[in-house]
Structures are given as C-alpha cells and as structure tokens.
Amino acid sequence: MRICRYDDNRLGVVKDDRVFDVTEALDAIPAPAGYPLPTHDLLIANLDKVRARIDAVLPNAASKAINDVKFLSPIANPGKLVAAPVNYLKHLQEARSDEAIHHSNQVLEIQKIGLFLKATSSLIGAGEPVKVRHHDRRNDHEIELAVIIGKPGTNIKKENAWDHIAAYSIGLDMTVRGPEERSLRKSVDTYSVLGPWMVTADEMGDATQLGFHLTVNDEDRQKANTKDLVLDIPELIEYASAFYTLHPGDVIYTGTPEGVGPVKPGDTIMAEFEKIGRMYVAVESA
C-alpha cells in the first residue's frame, strides 16, 4: 500500500495517478493518554489497525489527481532521523577527492565514522520547498532510500532487521558544505525531505536492488542502485540499534551515491526510485 499525508494533514492512499482520502481511518489510532505525548509516530505504531480501517473506507473514498495535492512528509512525528554517511564506495572516493565536499576534513569509511542524526525540525514533504541558507557555500542534493522503522527494538541482529521495517520512502539529505559537524550542516530547516509517500514493506518486497536517480532542472546528477550500499539495510539497522533504541516512525537515510552537487533557488530537483515513484522538489531562498 502507498500511504501519504497531504494538504491539511489528510491521510491518503495513492493508486495510479490519484490520491484517495482515507482520513477517517485515523480513528483507529488510540487517543494519547495525556501529557507527555509519545515520542514516536502514532500512525506507524498503529499501522496494522489503520490499514484494516483503510480497507473498509477505501471503496467509497473521494479522490484527487496526484498533481492537485500538496504532499507532506508521510511521517509526521519521527522520534529521530538517522543518516548514513559515505555509504556508497564511489561517493566515498568523490568526497575524498573534492575539496568543496570535504573542506580539509578527513573522510573516514562508514564503519569508522559511524552514523549521525539529523534534527527532526528539518523534515518536510515533497510538496514543500527546500529553502537554501548560507548562499556563500555549496548547498548540495543527496538522494537516498529512506527506511521507516515499524517495530521498536534495540541491539537488533541483522537477520531480524527486516521484521522491524514498516515502509520505505524517497529521501533527500540536503547538505550545506563546510568544516562543521555533519549533523549541524544537514539539520537546516527543510534539509530533510521525505516523500512523496511511503510504500509499505509488504508491497515493496525486495529492497536490495532498487535503481534510482536524481536530476536538477532535467540535468542528470545521480544514478545508482541499492545493491551497491557498503552497509546494507539490515546492517544499518543492526548498527543503529546497537547505540539507541529504534522506535516506530524513526527514519533511516541509507546513504547517497556519487554525483552530489549544488542547487540554488529556482532549481527543481527530481528524485525517482524504482518501486516507490517520483517526486519533484522546488528550491527557494530562505
């Protein structure tokens, strides 16, 4: 199932080129007991109940054309955004050879440098623009497969990792180049894009050989396949959960391939993944 959040926080199911309004299925989510609110995403934590309700309301749901809706991030309240640096060998080589990327920082292998976190306040959907700051620096696009955690766990073994995945989406890990720590430069408002919808794990099936590509103003920039990940999806889940508990709605950005490059206000980014779909993201000035 392809599930989206759109317009004024409507819940939708995407079929062909239409979005079906199944917002009333959100009634399947139990109301929070009160303050403090849960620190995970309630939709993902109750996804099985919501999907059962979707099946009941979908036959009579009104719909809109895909081009007539504004796609928000399919995850409204992730507890954390986990990201994998230099997780494709050719991007590691690219980062080491380009001063505009590494800024005299040592670029270590992912097994040595580890993962990093992006601020949840940086998260937007495909229908919202990336708003560039620090115009005196390079602001780069990085397309990535995004893995959405569905079942909580810590110290998850890689052979059990697939059981903890709820869905997949397309991610853009936008980046300000500079000497500061990654988490700072990648947590700018609007610099984590997720969309245009999420594809549930049962519909996705095998995610180990997904072709994907990115263009800027129709110019080819990045093209790769998830089979070339240095640490694959189960290994990333094992690695991340060795340091902190993963909760429903947490998102893992799995890494970007070679071909990263700058964007500027007025540009349009197109990001496409096999089995997921395509999204267009506008670039504006903050």
Side-chain angles (χ1 to χ4, degrees):
M1 186 175 287
R2 299 184 176 204
I3 300 173
C4 68
R5 191 167 63 97
Y6 68 100
D7 291 349
D8 55 343
N9 288 302
R10 311 298 293 177
L11 185 71
V13 168
V14 180
K15 288 191 172 186
D16 298 322
D17 59 349
R18 301 197 69 80
V19 177
F20 292 82
D21 189 344
V22 293
T23 305
E24 62 182 288
L26 293 174
D27 292 344
I29 299 176
Y35 183 84
L37 296 175
T39 55
H40 58 268
D41 188 87
L42 291 174
L43 170 62
I44 299 302
N46 294 276
L47 190 57
D48 288 345
K49 294 177 182 178
V50 173
R51 289 187 63 179
R53 186 81 176 100
I54 286 174
D55 289 338
V57 304
L58 186 57
N60 298 311
S63 68
K64 287 183 177 182
I66 282 178
N67 293 336
D68 292 336
V69 307
K70 175 184 177 181
F71 286 109
L72 309 176
S73 166
I75 308 301
N77 297 294
K80 50 188 168 291
L81 306 177
V82 184
V86 290
N87 202 22
Y88 287 83
L89 283 178
K90 289 184 179 179
H91 178 50
L92 174 63
Q93 296 163 0
E94 172 184 58
R96 285 174 167 171
S97 64
D98 189 344
E99 166 68 21
I101 295 177
H102 64 68
H103 278 265
S104 300
N105 292 324
Q106 186 178 14
V107 183
L108 299 174
E109 297 85 353
I110 185 172
Q111 296 92 334
K112 296 178 181 178
I113 199 170
L115 308 177
F116 65 96
L117 298 176
K118 292 167 67 76
T120 56
S121 57
S122 67
L123 185 63
I124 60 168
E128 303 164 89
V130 168
K131 296 186 177 181
V132 171
R133 298 194 189 190
H134 304 289
H135 296 275
D136 57 328
R137 303 191 189 189
R138 266 181 57 170
N139 287 263
D140 284 10
H141 57 76
E142 299 188 7
I143 183 175
E144 315 197 3
L145 178 66
V147 175
I148 300 164
I149 297 299
K151 186 172 72 173
T154 191
N155 289 317
I156 301 167
K157 299 302 180 185
K158 62 183 179 182
E159 55 266 25
N160 300 321
W162 297 110
D163 296 335
H164 290 262
I165 298 173
Y168 301 84
S169 192
I170 303 173
L172 290 179
D173 173 22
M174 304 301 297
T175 305
V176 179
R177 298 300 179 193
E180 301 91 352
E181 292 288 342
R182 280 181 173 87
S183 290
L184 177 69
R185 295 183 288 103
K186 292 170 173 280
S187 290
V188 177
D189 293 349
T190 76
Y191 274 42
S192 300
V193 187
L194 193 67
W197 42 73
M198 60 180 172
V199 179
T200 55
D202 59 332
E203 177 162 330
M204 172 65 77
D206 184 11
T208 63
Q209 298 188 57
L210 300 178
F212 61 97
H213 71 284
L214 178 145
T215 66
V216 176
N217 303 330
D218 297 323
E219 174 194 350
D220 291 331
R221 293 281 187 92
Q222 294 182 273
K223 186 174 184 179
N225 192 292
T226 57
K227 67 181 175 62
D228 295 322
L229 284 165
V230 176
L231 296 184
D232 63 20
I233 295 167
E235 289 170 330
L236 286 172
I237 291 175
E238 181 178 74
Y239 197 173
S241 69
F243 286 85
Y244 31 68
T245 300
L246 297 177
H247 294 283
D250 286 354
V251 181
I252 298 178
Y253 284 71
T254 58
T256 199
E258 76 280 8
V260 302
V263 294
K264 63 184 185 303
D267 287 345
T268 298
I269 301 169
M270 188 286 298
E272 184 172 31
F273 255 90
E274 183 181 358
K275 294 188 179 181
I276 299 177
R278 175 186 298 176
M279 67 180 182
Y280 292 88
V281 179
V283 181
E284 298 180 358
S285 174

